[in-house]
């Protein structure tokens, strides 16, 4: 951490700046209202109050594009809830040591995401779109990432990404795992590589005919995903919607279960991304299935994502309505909202690419970056040269006990 921006009240910023005397190369102060318009190039860290007037979607999107870390300062429950809505961990004290340790811990906490399963209820909430975009974001910076299609009903990743599905894929990996012949070399052989703007992603395509679902048995899926952990840093798995245990329906038969692949993947996951559509039917379906999902995965972290948010479906304050509904009926407090950007989604489908790859500056892509930052240490965006700022610089004087001057308010 070398460059710090303090978007705080004058008196508070002056005190915080003194604490960075031996910890930062430069400290800046700017008016919170002008922070979004500022050129954030070269900035490593921004400290802001967790207040809707400062910490909002525009600021988070701008920081995502520039690869800048945000440290929100919260003094009440509303501030904590606001920070959590953006996937941020707020601080209740602004001592420099605390900020530094907090930032270092965020960077070093997780080096990879392990197995991330993307699930959602019936009704096409965008599971495959979200899985493909999340995998593309995880692969950014040439991190070894795999995208697995374990949907036993309607696999779509091959068609979505313009890949062939008539060759080996995840089903082949599962068969090899059962024979104890699966290893990283075999996984590389049966996968297909997708080139991204900043890296590549290995894709294990799904079954190409619905009748092949018995190849995705629970034992095979569990074994294949466990072996894949030694092959890729992060494995993003797209699964089907159904969660009911087939044993309850087919208790008089001894054979494969169609929902076994979904349940096995969920039980193997380190993180689960649960996605719902932002309309009345989509939220109702999600609430009914969420309790069953939690019963299956136990204490595994579930990251709730609400997709295609627009006021035309729910009226004014769509996010507020969804937040209150999920809190009341499912006890869900932390939610990530993704906007409805139909034109961008159509463009991604036309070019057979993920949304984050074709439109990295879209609001949807910014939301995916926040999601990725929750489950793994997201690679920071490359810094540009010759930064331009709209604030005044405050140099740190390392030969004295503090800052050579009080940070100047933008004016």
């Amino acid at each position: 951490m070398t460059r710090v921006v303090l978007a705080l009240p004058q008196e508070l910023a002056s005190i915080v700046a003194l604490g960075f005397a031996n910890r930062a190369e430069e400290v800046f102060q700017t008016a919170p209202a002008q922070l979004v318009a500022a050129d954030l190039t070269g900035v490593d860290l921004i400290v802001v109050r967790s207040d809707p007037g400062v910490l909002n979607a525009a600021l988070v999107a701008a920081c995502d594009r520039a690869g800048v870390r945000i440290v929100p300062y919260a003094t009440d429950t509303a501030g904590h809830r606001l920070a959590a809505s953006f996937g941020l961990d707020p601080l209740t004290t602004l001592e420099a040591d605390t900020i530094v340790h907090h930032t270092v811990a965020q960077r070093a906490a997780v080096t990879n995401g392990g197995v991330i399963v993307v699930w959602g209820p019936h009704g096409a909430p965008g599971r495959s779109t979200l899985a493909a975009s999340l995998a593309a974001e995880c692969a950014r910076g040439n991190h070894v990432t795999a995208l697995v299609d374990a949907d036993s009903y309607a696999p779509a990743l091959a068609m979505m990404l313009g890949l062939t599905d008539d060759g080996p894929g995840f089903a082949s990996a599962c068969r090899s795992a059962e024979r104890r012949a699966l290893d990283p070399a075999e996984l590389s052989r049966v996968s297909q590589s997708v080139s991204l703007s900043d890296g590549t992603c290995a894709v294990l395509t799904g079954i190409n005919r619905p009748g092949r679902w018995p190849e995705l048995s629970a034992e095979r899926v569990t074994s294949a995903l466990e072996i894949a952990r030694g092959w890729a840093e992060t494995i993003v798995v797209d699964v089907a919607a159904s969660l009911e245990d087939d044993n309850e329906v087919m208790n008089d038969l001894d054979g494969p279960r169609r929902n076994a692949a979904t349940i096995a993947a969920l039980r193997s996951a380190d993180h689960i991304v649960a996605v719902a559509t932002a309309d009345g039917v989509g939220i109702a379906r999600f609430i009914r299935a969420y309790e069953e999902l939690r019963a299956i995965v136990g204490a595994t972290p579930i990251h709730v994502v609400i997709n295609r948010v627009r006021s035309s479906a729910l009226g004014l304050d769509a996010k507020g309505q969804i937040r209150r509904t999920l809190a009341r009926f499912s006890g869900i407090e932390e939610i990530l909202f993704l906007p409805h950007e139909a034109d961008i989604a159509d463009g991604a489908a036309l070019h057979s690419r993920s949304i984050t790859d074709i439109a990295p500056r879209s609001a949807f892509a910014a939301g995916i970056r926040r999601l990725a930052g929750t489950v793994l240490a997201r690679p920071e965006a490359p810094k540009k040269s010759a930064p331009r700022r709209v604030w005044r610089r405050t140099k740190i004087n390392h030969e004295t006990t503090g800052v050579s001057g009080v940070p100047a308010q933008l004016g």
Side-chain angles (χ1 to χ4, degrees), residues 77-275:
T77 302
H80 279 78
R81 183 171 295 178
L82 176 63
S85 70
F86 290 109
L88 301 173
D89 186 15
L91 292 179
T92 56
T93 179
L94 285 180
E95 295 180 0
D97 283 338
T98 303
I99 296 173
V100 171
H101 292 161
H102 176 78
T103 306
V104 171
Q106 282 188 326
R107 288 177 174 174
V110 184
T111 57
N112 59 73
V115 176
I116 306 170
V117 175
V118 179
W119 170 89
H122 291 284
R127 294 184 299 269
S128 298
T129 299
L130 183 58
S133 295
L134 180 59
E137 177 62 25
C138 292
R140 189 160 62 89
N142 292 312
H143 284 247
V144 183
T145 302
L147 176 61
V148 176
D149 196 335
D151 191 328
S152 58
Y153 285 84
L157 289 176
M159 292 179 286
M160 180 180 295
L161 299 175
L163 303 174
T164 177
D165 61 357
D166 57 358
F170 187 54
S172 177
C174 287
R175 293 193 301 270
S176 296
E178 186 179 43
R179 300 193 309 269
R180 298 186 179 180
L182 187 64
D183 56 20
E186 177 66 8
L187 284 166
S188 297
R189 187 188 73 82
V190 301
S191 66
Q192 300 181 54
S193 180
V194 173
S195 296
L196 307 169
S197 58
D198 187 19
T200 59
C201 181
V203 181
L204 289 169
T205 56
I207 54 178
N208 57 4
R209 293 188 306 276
R212 293 182 58 188
W213 65 263
E215 297 179 44
L216 304 181
S217 68
E219 295 77 10
R220 288 177 173 183
V221 170
T222 301
S223 298
L225 292 179
E226 189 61 31
I227 295 169
R229 291 177 182 274
W231 172 55
E233 297 177 22
T234 304
I235 304 113
V236 180
V237 186
D238 181 21
V239 298
S242 297
L243 297 176
E244 61 266 25
D245 189 345
D246 297 349
N247 290 323
E248 298 177 0
V249 181
M250 305 170 62
N251 54 14
D252 58 336
L253 299 176
D254 184 15
R257 315 295 180 182
R258 190 159 192 176
N259 299 334
T262 297
I263 295 174
L266 288 169
R267 288 174 173 165
S268 298
D270 298 298
H271 295 270
I272 294 166
V273 176
V275 56

